[in-house]
Amino acid sequence: MGLSRLAALHGVATSYSPSPDVTVSVPDDTVIAVLAALGVDAGTPADVRKCLAAAESRSRLLPPTVVVWAGEPLPPALAGLPPGSTVTVEPEPSDLPGHPAGRPPAPLSMRARAAAPAAPVASPGEAAPEAVPAPEAPPAPGEAPAWWIPPPHGVHRVHVRTPDNRRATATLVAAPPRVPQPPEGTHGFLVQLYSLLSARSWGMGDLGDLADLAVWAGRSVGSGFVQVNPLHAAVPGKPTDPSPYRPSSRRFPDPVHLHVESIPEYGHVRDRATLDDLRQDAAALSEAVLNKGALIDRDAVWELKRQALELVAQVPLTPGRRADYCDFLAEQGQALEDHGLWCALAEVHGPDWHTWPEALRDPRSPGTARARSELLDRVDFHCRLAWLTATQLAAAQRSAEDAGMAVGIVHDLAVGVHPAGADTWSQQEAFAHGMSVGAPPDAFNARGQDWGLPPWRPDVLAATGYAAYRGLLRGLLAHAGALRIDHVMGLFRLWWVPEGRPPTDGTYVAYDAEAMLAVLVLEAHRAGTSVVGEDLGTVAPGVREALARRGVLGTSVLWFERDWEGDGRPLAPEKWRRDCLATATTHDLPSTAARLTGDHVTLRHRLGLLTRSLEEELTADLTDTAEWLALLARLRMLPEGDGDEEAAVRAVHRFLRRTPARMAGVWLPDTVGDRRPQNLPGTWDQYPNWRLPIADAEGHPVTLEEITASPRLHALMEVLRPRKPRTAPPGERRP
């Protein structure tokens, strides 16, 4: 009983429900291990009693982080302060991104006249500044007390002093109620950028290809967005982990995505012969992928680009470029310097910082400080690469906007980072070491999942005002039209698996969803970006409703949209939710052509992934597909009838267009009939995950130029293009 109470105080679940009518108890050993990762010793009953007594005796006047939503009631932490308490809000510095430089936000004008830098707000039950009378009765539902003067949107510090002289200070996140929304009926493409090779690529798709795709899509087919895979920095190595969802750092992008020739200094490199040799080698890489059956080789691409970039880095920056780079360094601060140093140290000591000399495992040690000085040139090189990549990300978004895209580039935030990468080294205190994020057993995977990603500690996030989370979001949103959040349920809770144990022995750990959402909404509001949450699979009650309330769109995939609470049949288009990104598939699922033909079942059979016989799986799959095709036929979306694969793909997207979904996404490989999934969950070396170029229906890789010229693509996009109203001839009245 004591262990359960202690776990509850720290947000650690002692049971979970894989289905509404089933409750599974979490092993005590798991609970003890998770508490230990949170700095709580529960190894013995005596330890439990001691920690429980200490936790229950602590009385905090304020939690570490307090959230206030514009136009909504104050949280209990503030609304329930003792009468006569003094509340002072210290405004966020005005030189942060999103604020006009050199002056505080306008809403602080009344406060600013009080005391600088702090701004006294008022005392509950007493007269507020500007002679606002104390309330004579509790505020009406939905209203803040009269003594409260709402601060501007931002991350402030709030100080409280009670009449009996108790004091408390906390981070105050003042957030708008919702994130910006995309225009209704926006359609666009989903693509794994590495898979999109153009005639000029260096063996994999790059940011030049992304900008080109965005311009073409916006101008030629009226698309409003292009969604890409996470472009986070990868852990170097041979071979590099190809998964974009297990990066070294989520804060900074990977320079492997650079289009080298677009860097202004490229044209001034003196050693043209070496550059020409590198370009020829890069062309050979692309030729092998496009015409010789080779897989995308990220390591080979990076080796060529690294050599070229080192030549480019020898070219002095012009005064204007130097000023821009210095501004970037100042804006990114310590986080960028740490990232650059980790990259430099990894070149010397290998990519796993746990194996480095002990003095270098601590980013703040004297030994690391000496290494920072000794490796200054390499640190600067990696910082410059981050800057160059950021400038090309910004250029891609500008290109999308200039092409008329309503949203532009939709970036992807992975759920976590590699345990040996830059983020876990530079932010060690923020991660729960010895733990991994995953998923509990469910109907789709009886063994559960372990993703090998160390989770953030919720207690450290709260104590630091979510600084790491804020910095991460600010960096990602700087050059985005929208952000997709992988496994968005992680804002509420994550399944922690102790190291060395199976996923079945994990448990849920809760996060302060109110604070996580408030920071997300605030940063998205500042950047003017929309947010899409990947909420597929098991979702706790209330999560989708909480996300929708804050304007975070969900993700709806056609094959999963059934009337699960009714007859289980495919869900009619008008019954789909409005606030979502609707798609036919994702990078983890079969392409639409493979789904329609059953090719995905035979692929999984060939790899030994089926849990039933091939005949049973094919029968079940055929039944599922037939139900959808029958619905499409009843809705007159399949006039061509059965047996026409391209027509069926168009009908599926015609259906998506009929739903009320705000956004509709087209998996770019679907436009040319690609059969192969980009990632096949449950496989590692059995399948070339994350290394396939986009291919046509016959499996032959196709370039960006061939994709955009494809008649199949243009026929598909016609079903998504908004219909222009007919212009009435002279003398004729329009209906």
Side-chain angles (χ1 to χ4, degrees), residues 43 45 58 66 77 91 100 130 193 224 259 332 343 408 425 475 481 497 566 568 594 631:
R58 285 194 298 266
V66 179
E130 303 292 322
L193 181 57
H259 180 239
Q332 301 300 323
C343 294
W425 176 74
V497 180
L631 175 59

Side-chain angles (χ1 to χ4, degrees), residues 414-625:
V415 70
V417 294
H418 196 287
D423 282 2
T424 58
W425 176 74
S426 62
Q427 303 170 11
Q428 293 178 37
E429 69 286 347
F431 288 91
H433 300 283
M435 294 289 146
S436 177
V437 173
D442 56 27
F444 299 99
N445 193 327
R447 294 173 293 182
Q449 300 175 55
D450 183 344
W451 302 331
L453 308 170
W456 264 338
R457 284 181 54 165
D459 56 330
V460 174
L461 286 178
T464 56
Y466 295 84
Y469 180 46
R470 287 187 278 129
L472 168 61
L473 290 174
R474 191 166 295 164
L476 282 171
L477 294 170
H479 312 303
L483 179 67
R484 174 191 180 271
I485 300 180
D486 190 44
H487 193 68
V488 72
M489 296 80 79
L491 300 181
F492 297 77
R493 67 181 188 180
L494 283 172
W495 183 258
W496 287 22
V497 180
E499 185 176 2
R501 301 189 186 183
T504 51
D505 284 355
T507 189
Y508 280 115
V509 175
Y511 291 75
D512 185 342
E514 192 82 349
M516 298 287 279
L517 278 173
V519 171
L520 173 63
V521 172
L522 172 63
E523 295 299 338
H525 175 81
R526 285 175 162 171
T529 58
S530 304
V531 179
V532 178
E534 185 272 297
D535 58 350
L536 303 174
T538 302
V539 182
V543 168
R544 288 196 174 105
E545 292 77 9
L547 293 169
R549 182 183 181 193
R550 300 304 171 196
V552 178
L553 305 184
T555 300
S556 293
V557 177
L558 180 132
W559 308 101
F560 301 154
E561 290 297 312
R562 290 175 171 270
D563 183 9
W564 297 113
E565 296 181 359
D567 58 14
R569 294 186 179 278
L571 199 62
E574 65 274 9
K575 293 185 178 180
W576 282 43
R577 53 180 169 170
R578 176 170 171 265
D579 295 326
C580 75
L581 165 62
T583 69
T585 189
T586 73
H587 57 268
D588 282 333
L589 297 172
S591 69
T592 305
R595 176 80 68 171
L596 291 168
T597 58
D599 285 3
H600 68 109
V601 177
T602 56
L603 171 62
R604 292 170 57 232
H605 171 68
R606 192 162 64 247
L607 296 174
L609 299 176
L610 297 184
T611 57
R612 297 180 292 182
S613 70
L614 176 60
E615 182 179 356
E616 289 176 305
E617 291 280 355
L618 283 173
T619 299
D621 186 68
L622 177 62
T623 301
D624 181 88
T625 303

Side-chain angles (χ1 to χ4, degrees), residues 263-468:
I263 300 171
E265 290 73 37
Y266 177 86
H268 300 279
V269 172
R270 292 186 177 181
D271 189 352
R272 306 309 299 182
T274 300
L275 276 186
D276 288 344
D277 289 343
L278 291 172
R279 290 183 64 180
Q280 289 180 11
D281 290 343
L285 280 180
S286 289
E287 171 68 14
V289 171
L290 294 171
N291 295 311
K292 297 180 180 179
L295 298 174
I296 292 171
D297 187 340
R298 182 194 181 101
D299 296 327
V301 172
W302 174 236
E303 179 60 26
L304 296 179
K305 287 192 176 183
R306 182 190 59 77
Q307 294 179 54
L309 290 167
E310 288 180 341
L311 293 174
V312 169
Q314 295 173 15
V315 178
L317 298 174
T318 64
R321 294 270 291 166
R322 168 62 61 181
D324 189 47
Y325 178 42
C326 289
D327 284 349
F328 181 78
L329 291 173
E331 181 180 325
Q332 301 300 323
Q334 185 73 52
L336 176 59
E337 187 177 331
D338 286 345
H339 178 72
L341 177 58
W342 183 90
C343 294
L345 288 169
E347 291 177 331
V348 178
H349 300 289
D352 185 351
W353 61 267
H354 299 91
T355 66
W356 293 355
E358 188 171 353
L360 301 179
R361 297 176 198 171
D362 179 357
R364 306 292 170 246
S365 73
T368 301
R370 287 192 297 272
R372 197 181 300 264
S373 177
E374 294 166 357
L375 297 171
L376 187 60
D377 288 345
R378 294 307 294 175
V379 173
D380 180 69
F381 174 68
H382 290 290
C383 289
R384 185 180 294 201
L385 295 188
W387 168 61
L388 292 174
T389 312
T391 60
Q392 290 197 4
L393 287 168
Q397 176 62 16
R398 285 196 303 272
S399 296
E401 292 171 345
D402 291 345
M405 283 193 162
V407 175
I409 309 302
V410 181
H411 287 282
D412 198 350
L413 172 60
V415 70
V417 294
H418 196 287
D423 282 2
T424 58
W425 176 74
S426 62
Q427 303 170 11
Q428 293 178 37
E429 69 286 347
F431 288 91
H433 300 283
M435 294 289 146
S436 177
V437 173
D442 56 27
F444 299 99
N445 193 327
R447 294 173 293 182
Q449 300 175 55
D450 183 344
W451 302 331
L453 308 170
W456 264 338
R457 284 181 54 165
D459 56 330
V460 174
L461 286 178
T464 56
Y466 295 84

Side-chain angles (χ1 to χ4, degrees), residues 613-696:
S613 70
L614 176 60
E615 182 179 356
E616 289 176 305
E617 291 280 355
L618 283 173
T619 299
D621 186 68
L622 177 62
T623 301
D624 181 88
T625 303
E627 283 190 311
W628 277 103
L629 291 175
L631 175 59
L632 296 175
R634 287 198 304 274
L635 295 174
R636 299 183 179 179
M637 294 181 180
L638 190 54
E640 298 87 350
D642 295 337
D644 188 330
E645 177 194 306
E646 290 188 38
V649 173
R650 289 196 297 271
V652 164
H653 290 85
R654 203 173 275 126
F655 181 96
L656 295 179
R657 188 66 167 166
R658 179 81 65 87
T659 72
R662 276 189 172 272
M663 301 174 71
V666 180
W667 178 234
L668 190 60
D670 273 349
T671 66
V672 289
D674 199 344
R675 297 287 199 274
R676 306 172 302 177
Q678 281 294 316
N679 178 51
L680 191 58
T683 63
W684 177 243
D685 56 0
Q686 308 99 312
Y687 186 80
N689 296 317
W690 317 113
R691 289 173 287 171
L692 292 171
I694 297 175
D696 61 19

